[in-house]
Amino acid sequence: MNSANELRLLFAGLVLASALPVLPLTAHAETSHERDARMKWWREARLGMFVHWGLYSGAEGVWDGKPYGGGVEWIQDYAGVPADVYAARMRPLFKPKPGFARAWARLAREMGAEYVVFTSKHHEGFALWDSKMTDFDARDFTGRDLFKEIVTALRAEGLRVGVYFSVIDWHHPDFPVNNTGLPHPLQKHPEIANPDAGRVLSRYVDFMHRQVEEIVSRYGPLDVLWWDWSSQETQGDSWRAPELMALVRKHQPRIIMNNRLYHSPNVEGDNLGIFDVAKGDFTTPEQHIPAIGMRNVDWEACMTLNGTWGYSNHDFDWKSAQTLIRNTVDIASKGGNYLINAGPLADGTIPEPIVVRFHELGAWMKTYGESIHGTTANPVGSVPWGRITAKPGRLFLHVFDWPKDHRVTVPLKSGRPLRAWMLADRAKVPLACAATAEGATVSLKPAFQNPYASVAALEVAD
Ligand code: FHN
């Protein structure tokens, strides 16, 4: 989408958002103050780790010797595999090693993430918890409650817990094959004359609600419920979404949910135009960063590290640490959160190329994290040399392109520069800064240049 269109959509979104009342999400109408309090930790977090892990991890992106590209957590659909064949083939490959979840949690902490969202059930329908509703679950396949192991490990590391839940379920015999606008592996089987015969969507929806109730009622407080995903044809009413969201809130009054019970991914224009807090707390641009952010809307960009969410043994197209760091900065400067994906192997091991990159991001965050966590969007306007984030009375100048004269101009709208320093400089030696017709200039110290993004703090007086 070009910037002009984004601006138009943003304007439409702002007009509509300001006209929208804060609708009741719980038994009583939540005030905007209560909503702000509930959203506070999430808005401050700015960085999260996404984990796609399920039976598909064992296929490693290959089916019957044929390697598949794209998001290979979809391999059942790509290869058109019926549910029983898929379950039988995947079962022996899924062998989680002891302590895998503690390693995930440690890595998330080390990378500077404040929360982790993990796939409790992806489109394949396999449940990582001990579900009484099905034997297609971790307890029956491994004898363990993997959901519990993951939640316990994340909490022990002080991380917020996010649960991804797919409303698409390719295993359940009542999930429709056709006419939902959603994919299904049996759509690749034209020889099956009427694949929807005997399938009753309402029975699936009952099952799905009861599965969700298991999750939200058994494992203590959960912080995020990350729904995935709806189509134009199948959304909202099809899932009995208001009832489902009320059920979740009954057990988890402070939980934060995305809006994918109503939306397909990347209908960003729609999300802006009709963003409605009754349909979810935040919206989720996928695999891209909105050019000008999404002001007045809580948003989170989710992105893969290579070309797939689930593990592939033949996708080595990793994003660089520089890209991860600059994306983190770029997204924070636009007021969003960045949810970066890792796809572990079937035994739960996170591949080394991911670990290395997350550690590099973490090393940067260790020095510069205060310029990301708890910040808000750039309040002064874009700059040619990098990005800006803000805290009250303070701007963080993220320099991507170090100027030859070591000086950056900051287009302050009001106020005057008080004091500046390089964030990597523990002694906080003041930088030369001055008010100018354009706002302010700050002279950077080359000794504290960072190859990914150098950061100076600038205090501004009213
Ligand atoms: O189909 C899924 C995909 O596998 C992955 O889980 C992403 C993450 O946002 N969501 C869906 C596509 O939007």
Side-chain angles (χ1 to χ4, degrees):
M1 188 183 306
N2 65 34
S3 302
N5 278 340
E6 287 205 343
L7 268 173
R8 267 194 294 279
L9 286 166
L10 177 67
F11 181 70
L14 292 180
V15 170
L16 275 160
S18 59
L20 283 170
V22 176
L23 295 175
L25 293 174
T26 53
H28 77 290
E30 187 180 45
T31 63
S32 58
H33 181 72
E34 285 168 336
R35 176 176 154 76
D36 287 345
R38 185 166 56 83
M39 296 298 293
K40 186 171 186 290
W41 76 263
W42 187 93
R43 288 175 179 159
E44 290 176 353
R46 291 290 173 246
L47 187 61
M49 177 168 123
F50 211 175
V51 184
H52 275 70
W53 187 62
L55 294 187
Y56 48 81
S57 311
E60 304 192 346
V62 181
W63 196 268
D64 282 340
K66 181 178 169 194
Y68 286 83
V72 293
E73 67 287 353
W74 278 61
I75 197 134
Q76 182 187 355
D77 178 68
Y78 291 168
V81 188
D84 51 345
V85 177
Y86 181 78
R89 290 266 291 273
M90 292 294 95
R91 183 174 182 140
L93 302 177
F94 190 64
K95 295 204 180 312
K97 64 182 181 186
F100 74 92
R102 286 199 297 278
W104 294 7
R106 261 198 312 276
L107 182 60
R109 215 351 117 223
E110 285 162 3
M111 100 185 210
E114 298 279 313
Y115 63 109
V116 173
V117 180
F118 69 96
T119 52
S120 71
K121 172 179 147 172
H122 203 265
H123 309 336
E124 64 182 5
F126 182 73
L128 287 192
W129 70 99
D130 176 11
S131 175
K132 305 295 176 225
M133 303 298 301
T134 179
D135 55 11
F136 194 51
D137 71 336
R139 173 68 74 195
D140 286 280
F141 275 42
T142 67
R144 291 157 65 183
D145 185 333
L146 301 170
F147 189 108
K148 189 170 179 192
E149 290 183 27
I150 296 167
V151 170
T152 306
L154 298 181
R155 287 218 193 94
E157 203 61 53
L159 293 153
R160 295 279 184 165
V161 178
V163 177
Y164 167 109
F165 186 94
S166 169
V167 295
I168 298 172
D169 186 330
W170 296 329
H171 187 81
H172 196 278
D174 281 310
F175 190 83
V177 175
N178 293 309
N179 309 323
T180 60
L182 294 166
H184 196 290
L186 295 187
Q187 289 167 3
K188 296 212 166 55
H189 288 266
E191 78 283 3
I192 304 176
N194 184 3
D196 279 313
R199 289 179 187 255
V200 180
L201 178 63
S202 64
R203 269 203 308 249
Y204 167 67
V205 174
D206 286 343
F207 161 88
M208 191 255 281
H209 280 219
R210 289 167 74 184
Q211 276 206 322
V212 170
E213 184 154 34
E214 291 181 329
I215 291 175
V216 296
S217 65
R218 282 204 211 142
Y219 299 92
L222 303 174
D223 300 297
V224 173
L225 221 161
W226 213 100
W227 307 109
D228 204 18
W229 51 278
S230 302
S231 64
Q232 292 297 75
E233 296 95 314
T234 310
Q235 56 156 307
D237 287 348
S238 320
W239 311 125
R240 304 204 310 265
E243 180 190 329
L244 184 57
M245 291 173 78
L247 168 80
V248 171
R249 291 205 190 285
K250 184 178 96 187
H251 292 281
Q252 303 279 346
R254 297 192 65 78
I255 206 164
I256 293 171
M257 292 187 251
N258 75 4
N259 63 356
R260 287 196 183 184
L261 282 179
Y262 290 87
H263 285 285
S264 36
N266 288 335
V267 280
E268 212 171 283
D270 284 359
N271 283 355
L272 271 173
I274 59 173
F275 190 79
D276 175 349
V277 292
K279 294 180 176 174
D281 296 304
F282 66 99
T283 195
T284 53
E286 180 169 314
Q287 296 288 41
H288 75 285
I289 302 170
I292 56 162
M294 301 172 93
R295 297 275 168 93
N296 289 356
V297 174
D298 291 298
W299 63 276
E300 175 196 69
C302 53
M303 294 170 103
T304 50
L305 207 57
N306 49 357
T308 173
W309 302 92
Y311 176 70
S312 163
N313 65 16
H314 53 273
D315 183 339
F316 309 114
D317 191 14
W318 304 106
K319 291 188 173 79
S320 66
Q322 170 162 301
T323 299
L324 297 187
I325 291 164
R326 292 192 173 184
N327 282 354
T328 304
V329 171
D330 186 29
I331 290 168
S333 79
K334 294 168 179 168
N337 282 5
Y338 188 20
L339 189 63
I340 314 179
N341 185 68
L345 279 75
D347 71 355
T349 305
I350 298 190
E352 198 52 24
I354 299 183
V355 174
V356 168
R357 284 159 179 78
F358 283 5
H359 279 161
E360 280 201 65
L361 169 58
W364 186 90
M365 287 291 290
K366 210 162 178 208
T367 305
Y368 301 106
E370 66 171 288
S371 71
I372 301 294
H373 296 308
T375 60
T376 49
N378 175 350
V380 294
S382 60
V383 287
W385 41 261
R387 300 287 184 275
I388 297 177
T389 58
K391 281 182 180 167
R394 186 171 295 187
L395 299 175
F396 295 101
L397 317 178
H398 296 259
V399 183
F400 292 172
D401 299 314
W402 190 278
K404 286 203 178 66
D405 64 357
H406 312 303
R407 217 167 48 189
V408 291
T409 298
V410 185
L412 294 181
K413 284 182 185 147
S414 61
R416 61 193 164 79
L418 260 189
R419 168 174 101 87
W421 64 97
M422 299 300 292
L423 228 56
D425 179 3
R426 281 165 190 265
K428 288 192 176 183
V429 175
L431 302 174
C433 59
T436 64
E438 293 84 41
T441 56
V442 177
S443 296
L444 307 166
K445 273 221 185 74
F448 296 103
Q449 194 168 352
N450 182 285
Y452 302 135
S454 314
V455 189
L458 171 65
E459 267 179 11
V460 181
D462 289 336

